[in-house]
Every structure is written in C-alpha cells, then in structure tokens.
Amino acid sequence: MERPEIWIEFAPDLHLFVRARHRGGPVAVRTDGTSTLGHVVESLGVPLTEVGGLRVDGEPVPVSRVAGPGARVAVLGVTRPQRSAGPVRFLLDVHLGTLARRLRLLGVDAAYENVDIGDPALAARSAAEQRVLLSRDRGLLHRRELWAGGYVYSHRPADQLRDVLSRFAPPLAPWTRCTACNGPLRAAAKETVQGRIENGTERSYDVFAQCADCGQVYWRGAHHARLDAVVAAALAEFGG
C-alpha cells in the first residue's frame, strides 16, 4: 500500500534546517499515516524549539496532530519576542562561553557549562531548572526532555547576543551578575576585598563589587570601556 502524502512548506527562517529540495514552496512528503506533525517536522531536520506554529489547510493545529492525506501544512518560525511561561533563564552549552559572559554582564541569568557534560545531562538540567537551552548543536535541540531551547544562529558573539535578546527579550540589569559564575554582585568596601586584589589596584580604585557566591571582585579597570560599549549598545537597542 502506498504511504499517504502531505504537502509541507517551511517558513524562510527555517530553511537553514532543511534540505534544499524542501525550501521555497510546498513539497510533497510521504508519511506513515500515524506519526504526528511534530515528528514529521523533526524528521525533516527542524527542531521543534524553532517552530512557532503549525497550520493545516490554514487552521492552527498542535504538533500532536496527525495530518491526513493531501493536507497542506505550513511550518511557521517563532515570533519575536517569543513568549515565555515564566522568567527567562538560560543554560548555554560549552561552545557559548563568550555569549554567557555577555548575558551575565547585562544581568541576565545565564548558567553555563565550561566543560562538555554531554547532551543528556544538559537536557536534564534544562528540564530540572526550567532553563532555555541555547546551542548551535541542532541535534541537542531535538532532545525530548528539554524544557525549552533556542538555536543560536551566528558564530559571532555580538550577533549571538542580539539574536538572543531580540528573541527572548529578557529584562536587563547591567553590572548585577558575576560574569565568572552567574552569582549576584554586591557593593564591597575596599577593606573587605584587600586580600583578593593587587596592591596597584587597591591604590588606584575605591569602588568595588563582589560576587556573593564565588567571591570574585570587580572594579572599573582598564577593560571597563570595552564592557561599557557592550552594555550601552544592548540598552540602546533593547532597553533596560
């Protein structure tokens, strides 16, 4: 018996994930007649984290829908900003360390694994802590146990940051998180941090902050102008 055929069309922003023959217009796809549309879409290469909605013959349907023969399916990309069920918190994989530090610089809760703990552990942490997993690994974003996820489209940290901020619109609170461990920063008197800073720093600066979790000390050093530029650009485009 011939397998049933449906017609499927992907939004342009999803073309990155599918083969060339599935781009540019509705194409015929053979199905087994029992698989959900979510399964069909993923089998063609698109993680469901990147799907903003499905329509069958013009009507919105859930990813659990099984499409009948001849159905015309439109796969939509996510709408920006993307709605979240709660406060936006992130988990980044081992390849996104610079992005993690820049998100923390802006006060965004961004957990980061600086060693490769493996896809199952990352997905499990996303679920346990209800964090949006950010990754450039498409296979990782296919894992069913994820709480939520987002594909990072660029390899350049500045573009990655703009991508994440425009998509998820997390509230920004610059200079409130430790860029090393993600902990909260607190104002610190010079005498309380003397053992953690060099003598030259102690003589040159009077205003300090310290991470409440790891103890890292911060001050407005020579590198501060570069960080200020990152913060100013983000606030100008995405607000505080």
Side-chain angles (χ1 to χ4, degrees):
M1 179 181 295
E2 191 175 56
R3 295 193 303 167
E5 181 180 79
I6 64 173
W7 292 85
I8 192 164
E9 182 175 10
F10 292 96
D13 49 341
L14 299 177
H15 288 177
L16 168 70
F17 302 101
V18 298
R19 296 178 180 178
R21 62 189 178 89
H22 290 137
R23 304 169 189 166
V27 294
V29 174
R30 294 287 180 185
T31 72
D32 59 13
T34 60
S35 293
T36 65
L37 282 176
H39 177 81
V40 173
V41 167
E42 285 198 306
S43 71
L44 294 174
V46 181
L48 291 184
T49 61
E50 307 312 298
V51 175
L54 297 174
R55 292 182 179 272
V56 173
D57 300 326
E59 297 296 324
V61 299
V63 295
S64 59
R65 174 67 61 86
V66 177
R72 290 189 168 267
V73 181
V75 185
L76 311 178
V78 297
T79 301
R80 296 181 179 231
Q82 183 176 345
R83 290 186 176 183
S84 174
V88 181
R89 306 191 307 160
F90 297 108
L91 171 63
L92 291 81
D93 72 16
V94 68
H95 303 292
L96 297 176
T98 299
L99 175 59
R101 289 188 290 273
R102 292 190 180 194
L103 287 170
R104 293 169 177 176
L105 178 66
L106 295 170
V108 178
D109 188 342
Y112 166 66
E113 296 289 351
N114 59 8
V115 295
D116 189 355
I117 63 173
D119 291 0
L122 276 172
R125 183 174 179 186
S126 165
E129 300 179 12
Q130 295 189 339
R131 291 181 179 273
V132 178
L133 179 62
L134 299 178
S135 179
R136 284 180 49 77
D137 182 343
R138 304 177 196 183
L140 175 54
L141 294 176
H142 279 281
R143 297 195 70 91
R144 297 291 177 140
E145 61 269 41
L146 285 179
W147 183 74
Y151 183 73
V152 177
Y153 285 78
S154 176
H155 65 278
R156 299 177 54 197
D159 293 336
Q160 292 174 347
L161 183 63
R162 293 185 69 252
D163 179 21
V164 172
L165 295 182
S166 68
R167 176 171 174 177
F168 295 100
L172 307 183
W175 316 109
T176 61
R177 284 190 179 273
C178 176
T179 57
C181 82
N182 199 43
L185 295 185
R186 304 282 186 262
K190 180 187 289 190
E191 58 269 20
T192 66
V193 299
Q194 286 177 335
R196 290 179 170 269
I197 57 178
E198 302 290 338
N199 289 337
T201 300
E202 182 182 342
R203 291 193 299 270
S204 301
Y205 301 95
D206 295 309
V207 179
F208 297 90
Q210 188 171 22
C211 176
D213 288 350
C214 74
Q216 176 76 33
V217 178
Y218 293 85
W219 62 93
R220 293 177 178 266
H223 64 293
H224 205 270
R226 177 177 57 83
L227 301 180
D228 257 335
V230 174
V231 170
L235 291 179
E237 187 168 3
F238 301 104

